[in-house]
Amino acid sequence: RAHSGERPYACDEQGCEYRAAQGNHLAEHKRTHSNERPYACDEPDCEYRAIRASNLKAHKRAHSGERPYACDEQGCEYRAAQGNHLAEHKRTHSNERPYACDEPDCEYRAIRASNLKAHKRAHSGER
């Protein structure tokens, strides 16, 4: 199914159009509607709970300080706890800015989606 694009497992939440190729992915998705978070951090005084085991694993790096993802740019010592943070960081070297403002006559482009979101608030006057 991964290559065919077939997604036979559909979310039954009203108004939700999510479909998955695998039943376990649908089960994970449904937790976003129920707010079920079965994976709990076992650090003292930490109340973090996650929908996915992988999210908990990434969270635990905040406690341990582990940063397994290293930038491969020569001379750069950046390390990240999460792969997506490294991917964002690498854009500072390449100057790739995949997030573009869709306002007419605005040429703003951002490295991160969150930066674009903040930029768009300037257009709307929202702060």
Side-chain angles (χ1 to χ4, degrees), residues 17-119:
E17 297 178 15
Y18 181 86
R19 298 187 69 85
Q22 298 176 356
N24 62 325
H25 292 173
L26 176 61
E28 272 184 0
H29 164 77
K30 286 179 141 191
R31 292 181 191 137
T32 65
H33 297 299
S34 69
N35 207 25
E36 177 192 1
R37 295 175 180 273
Y39 303 99
C41 183
D42 56 6
E43 286 287 322
D45 300 321
C46 183
E47 297 178 13
Y48 181 85
R49 298 186 68 85
I51 289 173
R52 293 177 191 85
S54 61
N55 292 1
L56 177 60
K57 183 177 179 180
H59 163 79
K60 286 183 155 198
R61 292 187 191 122
H63 296 296
S64 70
E66 178 189 9
R67 294 175 173 269
Y69 302 97
C71 183
D72 57 6
E73 185 77 19
Q74 187 172 357
C76 183
E77 297 180 11
Y78 180 86
R79 296 187 71 86
Q82 297 179 36
N84 63 320
H85 292 174
L86 176 60
E88 285 181 350
H89 163 79
K90 285 180 148 191
R91 293 182 191 133
T92 65
H93 296 299
S94 68
N95 207 28
E96 177 191 3
R97 296 176 179 273
Y99 303 101
C101 184
D102 56 7
E103 286 289 321
D105 300 321
C106 183
E107 297 180 15
Y108 180 85
R109 298 186 70 87
I111 289 172
R112 294 178 186 87
S114 60
N115 292 359
L116 176 60
K117 187 175 179 181
H119 165 80

